[in-house]
């Protein structure tokens, strides 16, 4: 799978969550490793994002340290 294909599939998988305003996530894929940045409204929404991303064929790993929960203190 190409990185562009993976990114497109992930963006499509996240549309239902974004439509509910639960997430605002940017996606970047390099060599099958997906980097997520943005804000989600709850720990549950973050978990849903990670599950959907991991389920996409071709994803070799997920880097989500920059995926913050709204209102939570940023990680040092």
């Amino acid at each position: 799978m190409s990185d562009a294909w993976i990114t497109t599939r992930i963006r499509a998988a996240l549309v239902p969550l974004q439509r509910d305003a639960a997430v605002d996530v940017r996606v970047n894929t390099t060599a099958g490793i997906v980097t997520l940045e943005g804000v989600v409204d709850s720990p549950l929404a973050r978990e849903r994002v990670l599950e959907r991303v991991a389920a996409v064929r071709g994803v070799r790993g997920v880097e989500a340290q920059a995926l913050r929960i709204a209102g939570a203190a940023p990680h040092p």
Side-chain angles (χ1 to χ4, degrees), residues 10-58:
I10 290 169
R11 288 180 180 155
L14 296 179
V15 165
L17 296 176
Q18 291 173 327
R19 187 175 34 221
D20 294 338
V23 300
D24 179 18
V25 178
R26 289 170 298 289
V27 180
N28 185 34
T29 308
T30 304
I33 306 299
V34 178
T35 303
L36 303 173
E37 276 187 75
V39 180
V40 296
D41 68 353
S42 68
L44 180 58
R46 187 178 194 280
E47 195 60 36
R48 286 182 179 159
V49 167
L50 295 176
E51 287 173 0
R52 288 176 186 236
V53 170
V56 172
R57 189 173 54 166

